[in-house]
Amino acid sequence: MDFARAIPGGRLPAMAEGTSINTVAVLGSGTMGAGIAQVCALAGCDVVLYDIDAALLDRALERIGKSLQKGVDKGKVAEAERDAALARIHTGVDLGAAASGADLVIEAVPEDLELKRRIFKEVAAAAPEALLGTNTSSLSITAIAADATRPERVIGMHFFNPVPVMKLLEVVVGQRTSAETTALARSFGERLGKEVVVVRDTPGFASSRLGICTAMEAIRMVEQEVASPADIDRAMVFGYGHPMGPLRLTDLVGLDVRMAIAEHLARTLDAPHFEPPALLQRMVAERKLGRKSGQGFYEWE
Ligand code: 3HC
């Protein structure tokens, strides 16, 4: 790993030199956890995917298999790579056992601060030397690390859905995260083939803060009948080169999910432009949640 590139000024931190990440424990086997396990296995790591229920793990393995096959069909993954990646992924329902022996633990459980704190406390004890990453998209890294021994090794590793396709890894540096931890997280992200941005632990980091800001403004524009949802989206797709517009993306992510993040940002940043517009509040109350409910700013099959 090229640590010199990861450290401003090119200085190598003593601990990081020669350190490599071979085994990764991924905690939580939902969409994000499964995607993270997949890219780590493709990068040559042994992966232990943990969840509380074996049936969830079976479903995750199935999803990973399908995604790897899609990668093969698209010509991005060789058949041998697919098979090797699948063989590197193991599953388990014992948290301590999954974490012990891991060089890196990446947590991707639901966005519940108390749950994440509890998990980090247990994992920090089970894997005293491991780097501890959290895939939180909105919670404070510093708060998640509060009960962990050696919080200097806790860092945000925010992936994007679908993980095997999206190029970004947002590395979020908590108040107590060390420079060595930051360097390791950055170089590991590069090894996964990601474009890495390093962001200070502030509400919404860089990606959610900007993404939610655009979405709330787009919804206000629908409210004010500036243009149709489709044309507002087309403005960003064809004028700015975004792969999809903010309203369509809100439908895909879920209106309830985006509203919760907007409320959190309005509160923590004390910024009225993050307040969810009345239209969004009404649509969420009416269960027009986007793709998952069949109706959002667009109709979905
Ligand atoms: N494995 C490897 N590569 C794959 C793959 C797979 N399983 N599936 C697709 N790909 C590759 C394709 O080969 C293609 O590569 P190319 O550009 O070099 O040809 C690329 O990925 C796009 O594939 P497709 O053209 O088949 O896919 P679509 O046209 O359906 O686009 C998408 C897919 C780019 C993911 C598009 O749906 C999109 O832009 N979605 C929005 C994604 C987004 O904004 N995500 C962020 C959500 S916010 C978030 O995640 C934050 C979190 O905290 C909630």
Side-chain angles (χ1 to χ4, degrees):
M1 281 183 272
D2 183 5
F3 292 103
R5 223 151 45 85
I7 301 286
R11 195 175 55 82
L12 288 173
M15 185 197 93
E17 200 170 10
T19 307
S20 60
I21 291 170
N22 296 315
T23 305
V24 182
V26 180
L27 312 180
S29 67
T31 306
M32 298 306 287
I36 295 166
Q38 180 177 330
V39 295
C40 291
L42 273 174
C45 297
D46 286 320
V47 177
V48 184
L49 183 58
Y50 158 85
D51 213 316
I52 50 173
D53 182 347
L56 295 173
L57 290 165
D58 288 345
R59 224 175 310 150
L61 282 180
E62 200 179 310
R63 199 166 334 123
I64 292 170
K66 278 189 186 150
S67 175
L68 284 167
Q69 185 53 45
K70 190 170 173 192
V72 171
D73 296 343
K74 296 259 179 192
K76 299 284 176 185
V77 178
E79 286 187 7
E81 285 176 316
R82 172 200 62 197
D83 296 343
L86 276 173
R88 284 188 202 106
I89 302 175
H90 309 276
T91 57
V93 292
D94 179 327
L95 179 59
S100 68
D103 304 309
L104 166 65
V105 178
I106 304 178
E107 165 280 308
V109 304
E111 290 286 85
D112 172 338
L113 181 58
E114 284 318 310
L115 173 66
K116 288 185 195 266
R117 265 197 183 144
R118 199 159 13 97
I119 283 182
F120 270 72
K121 189 174 178 187
E122 191 172 338
V123 162
E129 299 302 325
L131 187 74
L132 306 179
T134 167
N135 180 53
T136 183
S137 58
S138 58
L139 299 172
S140 158
I141 309 306
T142 309
I144 290 172
D147 295 334
T149 49
R150 297 187 44 222
E152 66 272 15
R153 64 200 164 115
V154 177
I155 193 155
M157 296 179 76
H158 183 202
F159 290 84
F160 292 78
N161 182 30
V163 179
V165 177
M166 300 306 282
K167 292 295 285 180
L168 182 62
L169 173 66
E170 190 172 38
V171 167
V172 187
V173 181
Q175 276 172 24
R176 299 169 74 180
T177 307
S178 70
E180 288 156 298
T181 298
T182 307
L184 271 167
R186 179 199 276 271
S187 61
F188 187 68
E190 288 168 353
R191 180 172 153 198
L192 298 181
K194 300 298 181 195
E195 293 291 331
V196 179
V197 297
V198 178
V199 180
R200 190 162 59 82
D201 184 17
T202 48
F205 317 140
S207 59
S208 302
R209 187 164 166 175
L210 275 174
I212 294 289
C213 185
T214 313
M216 292 307 115
E217 194 57 26
I219 296 168
R220 268 190 289 275
M221 288 163 65
V222 177
E223 245 174 5
Q224 294 166 15
E225 298 181 354
V226 172
S228 67
D231 277 353
I232 291 169
D233 277 348
R234 284 161 58 83
M236 297 315 284
V237 171
F238 297 110
Y240 283 73
H242 290 191
M244 71 174 64
L247 297 165
R248 189 175 166 80
L249 182 58
T250 298
D251 267 12
L252 287 184
V253 174
L255 274 67
D256 51 340
V257 174
R258 295 209 111 185
M259 187 166 96
I261 301 173
E263 285 169 337
H264 170 73
L265 293 181
R267 210 169 41 244
T268 49
L269 291 168
D270 194 19
H273 59 279
F274 285 112
E275 291 290 352
L279 172 63
L280 177 59
Q281 295 185 37
R282 202 164 58 242
M283 289 175 75
V284 170
E286 291 168 358
R287 308 299 294 162
K288 292 177 180 165
L289 304 179
R291 182 170 62 173
K292 64 186 167 191
S293 74
Q295 174 73 54
F297 295 99
Y298 297 86
E299 279 189 23
W300 297 85
E301 296 280 289

